[in-house]
Amino acid sequence: MAYPYDSLLPQVTRPRTISPLPPSAPGEEAKDEEVEQVKWKRPAVVTPQAVHSKRALLEKEQEQTASSEMPRPSQGELFPAREQEEQHRQQVEEPEENGQNIKAEPQAELPEAQSDIMALKRKNKDDMRRVQEENLNQQRGDQQNQVSERVAATPLMKHPLPSCLLTNKDHVQAELQDSEASNKVREKRLEEEIKIIRDKANRLSQSLQKQVAIKKINLQGLQRKQLTVNEIMIMKRNRSPSVVNYLDSYLLGEELWLVLEYMDGGALSDVISETFLSEEQMAAISRECLRGLDFLHSNHIIHRDVKSDNILLRTDGSVKLADFGLSTQLTPEQNRRCTLAGTPWWMAPEVVTGQPYGPKVDIWSFGIVGIEMVEREPPYCNQSPASAQRLIATVGTPKLRHPKLLSALLRDFLSCCLQKDEEERWSAMELLQHPFVTSAKPASILSQLINSVKKRKKN
């Protein structure tokens, strides 16, 4: 048997196929086979009876030789090491009976020579396995390198695209060019329209001799369009010194620009967050807001989103209601609403519970604005919208944190605004007659406060 890695392994004696020899005597052939089996067969223990018979036969032959020939030294005396090896071989050899091997039990311990041979075989196998693994890894690396070289040598576009793909490619490129051209035309038109609108707004501002504000509304979505149309209609039909007045509107693509009265003092929420209000200032703000609510309610309009963000100020002390996007117009046929609308922390209990409601929901919301002016935040502001609505529905009138720090008039005014039962809640007209409001000073006292907050924000 030939081994492919003989040149890489130590030079040791290996079992190999023996070339055919000329026929020899039967005894010699059997002896050769027996020696070959001793070298490479697993050692086995033979039965004592077989060994005893073989020794008896040897002794008989020695006696016959001694009687017929001259005395001479035995083979064991001349070659003691070979004699010991022969005896050991006879002990480990598997005897044969009638041409069949007798099953022998394995020895408990291998002889020293056989153990060395087995260790050498194991070492050879390990060396062969290691060499095979190294060659296999090298082959894999060579294959990967060949693949990388082929990929690098392969051109990106070996074959031209089919005619149909080329046609589609040309079609897509043409569409992209048309789209880019139309976008450029649209952008140019928008720039021209914006310029026209700004010119109109400037002329309007000059005619009014005051600045104007432009509110941009994205009209994407049917509901947003309906709310915007509703806001424009309510503002165009209802003009008052207590509400932010509508001046004009322009449509630019999906954007609607509303030109409104400019309130240079910002929102009431900015003043609340920047400073503490006195009760005198609270009374003036309350009177101006209640005038706006009384105007809306007398025209059968519910604001539905009264909060400090939607109360705008001017540096001369003016206070006005703004943002009519959620407002609704009542009619003689439908003088109540059931829609859930507004900002959760300012909603009235009847809105949260889904009951029919009227204009007095705005009075509840303004009562929450009063708590904002006192405590600088609305009740339940740390709760989620759903939790705030549940608390409004169950608790009802929120409690003040430090009621003793407020005057009796202010506490009573807030109580009249925040009655859970809508029937017991005061209207805007009634609240304008409340002593807390009637004792208020002119709105001009707010001018200094608004200007100081504006400077502070600018710095």
Side-chain angles (χ1 to χ4, degrees):
M1 178 176 179
Y3 288 80
Y5 302 100
D6 285 349
S7 60
L8 301 176
L9 299 175
Q11 297 297 323
V12 296
T13 304
R14 300 179 179 277
R16 61 181 181 276
T17 304
I18 302 175
S19 302
L21 296 174
S24 59
E28 293 178 358
E29 184 177 356
K31 186 176 181 181
D32 291 338
E33 291 178 358
E34 189 176 14
V35 172
E36 189 69 16
Q37 288 179 359
V38 170
K39 281 187 177 182
W40 302 109
K41 274 195 170 183
R42 183 175 179 176
V45 179
V46 298
T47 57
Q49 186 177 2
V51 176
H52 178 72
S53 60
K54 187 173 287 290
R55 287 180 177 175
L57 183 60
L58 289 173
E59 290 176 358
K60 187 176 181 180
E61 289 179 355
Q62 289 176 1
E63 289 177 359
Q64 290 177 359
T65 304
S67 60
S68 59
E69 296 180 0
M70 292 291 293
R72 59 180 178 179
S74 64
Q75 189 176 5
E77 294 176 354
L78 294 175
F79 305 100
R82 184 181 296 177
E83 179 66 19
Q84 292 176 1
E85 183 179 355
E86 183 67 22
Q87 290 178 3
H88 179 69
R89 181 182 63 79
Q90 290 176 0
Q91 290 178 1
V92 301
E93 184 182 16
E94 292 182 3
E96 295 182 357
E97 273 187 15
N98 298 326
Q100 296 181 354
N101 290 337
I102 300 174
K103 186 176 179 181
E105 296 180 359
Q107 285 183 343
E109 190 174 306
L110 292 174
E112 185 177 357
Q114 188 72 11
S115 176
D116 293 342
I117 294 173
M118 296 296 290
L120 186 58
K121 288 178 64 178
R122 283 195 298 270
K123 182 179 179 183
N124 292 341
K125 289 182 179 180
D126 293 340
D127 293 341
M128 290 175 61
R129 187 182 300 107
R130 179 177 55 79
V131 172
Q132 289 176 355
E133 290 178 354
E134 292 177 356
N135 292 339
L136 182 60
N137 293 333
Q138 185 176 0
Q139 290 177 0
R140 288 177 179 173
D142 294 342
Q143 291 176 357
Q144 290 178 356
N145 293 334
Q146 292 175 2
V147 171
S148 301
E149 292 175 358
R150 286 199 299 269
V151 170
T154 303
L156 295 177
M157 185 64 71
K158 188 174 182 180
H159 301 287
L161 288 172
S163 58
C164 60
L165 294 180
L166 288 173
T167 304
N168 292 336
K169 180 182 177 182
D170 296 338
H171 182 66
V172 170
Q173 289 180 349
E175 287 184 351
L176 289 174
Q177 292 176 357
D178 294 342
S179 177
E180 291 178 357
S182 60
N183 287 336
K184 290 180 179 179
V185 172
R186 190 181 298 109
E187 289 175 359
K188 186 176 180 180
R189 186 174 66 250
L190 287 175
E191 289 177 358
E192 293 175 354
E193 291 179 355
I194 290 172
K195 185 178 180 181
I196 293 172
I197 292 172
R198 292 189 183 278
D199 292 340
K200 289 182 178 180
N202 290 331
R203 287 196 297 270
L204 183 61
S205 176
Q206 291 174 3
S207 64
L208 296 173
Q209 295 183 353
K210 56 184 177 182
Q211 291 180 318
V212 297
I214 297 178
K215 179 181 178 181
K216 299 178 182 180
I217 303 174
N218 193 336
L219 296 179
Q220 291 182 352
L222 179 61
Q223 185 179 8
R224 182 71 245 183
K225 292 179 181 178
Q226 292 174 347
L227 292 174
T228 303
V229 171
N230 179 66
E231 180 178 5
I232 293 174
M233 295 304 296
I234 289 176
M235 295 180 71
K236 286 182 70 173
R237 294 174 182 174
N238 301 277
R239 296 179 181 273
S240 169
S242 299
V243 298
V244 176
N245 288 315
Y246 163 87
L247 301 176
D248 206 347
S249 61
Y250 305 95
L251 183 63
L252 287 171
E254 290 293 325
E255 260 190 357
L256 180 69
W257 287 22
L258 297 182
V259 182
L260 305 173
E261 182 182 2
Y262 179 59
M263 304 296 289
D264 59 348
L268 177 60
S269 57
D270 298 331
V271 176
I272 291 173
S273 62
E274 291 290 337
T275 185
F276 290 94
L277 293 171
S278 65
E279 290 194 9
E280 189 178 64
Q281 294 166 339
M282 293 180 196
I285 293 171
S286 298
R287 183 189 57 211
E288 300 301 315
C289 291
L290 286 171
R291 284 177 178 175
L293 290 176
D294 182 49
F295 167 76
L296 294 175
H297 294 169
S298 62
N299 287 279
H300 310 289
I301 297 171
I302 309 176
H303 189 284
R304 297 200 295 187
D305 199 18
V306 176
K307 57 184 179 181
S308 58
D309 288 327
N310 292 336
I311 299 173
L312 301 184
L313 311 172
R314 206 156 53 194
T315 52
D316 62 357
S318 302
V319 180
K320 299 189 179 188
L321 299 177
D323 198 345
F324 296 87
L326 297 180
S327 301
T328 182
Q329 178 77 57
L330 299 177
T331 61
E333 297 80 14
Q334 192 177 8
N335 59 359
R336 308 285 283 181
R337 289 286 185 268
C338 297
T339 308
L340 181 67
T343 307
W345 296 270
W346 287 265
M347 285 182 180
E350 57 267 31
V351 178
V352 173
T353 55
Q355 300 175 4
Y357 57 84
K360 286 187 178 180
V361 297
D362 290 339
I363 303 301
W364 175 281
S365 299
F366 181 72
I368 301 299
V369 174
I371 295 181
E372 276 190 278
M373 290 191 288
V374 171
E375 298 181 348
R376 307 183 71 181
E377 60 185 15
Y380 320 126
C381 64
N382 294 325
Q383 301 291 330
S384 65
S387 299
Q389 291 177 14
R390 284 195 297 269
L391 290 170
I392 292 170
T394 56
V395 176
T397 303
K399 295 182 180 180
L400 295 169
R401 296 175 185 172
H402 307 287
K404 294 182 179 180
L405 298 179
L406 307 179
S407 66
L409 283 178
L410 179 54
R411 291 200 305 268
D412 186 70
F413 173 77
L414 294 176
S415 176
C416 294
C417 295
L418 296 171
Q419 289 295 319
K420 185 175 182 182
D421 188 354
E422 184 183 4
E423 295 296 330
E424 297 181 5
R425 195 180 308 151
W426 289 26
S427 65
M429 183 179 294
E430 292 171 342
L431 288 170
L432 283 171
Q433 306 303 318
H434 192 279
F436 178 73
V437 176
T438 57
S439 62
K441 294 182 178 180
S444 58
I445 66 167
L446 300 172
S447 177
Q448 184 178 358
L449 172 69
I450 295 170
N451 280 288
S452 63
V453 171
K454 184 178 180 180
K455 290 180 181 179
R456 190 179 304 173
K457 285 183 61 180
K458 187 181 294 185
N459 292 335

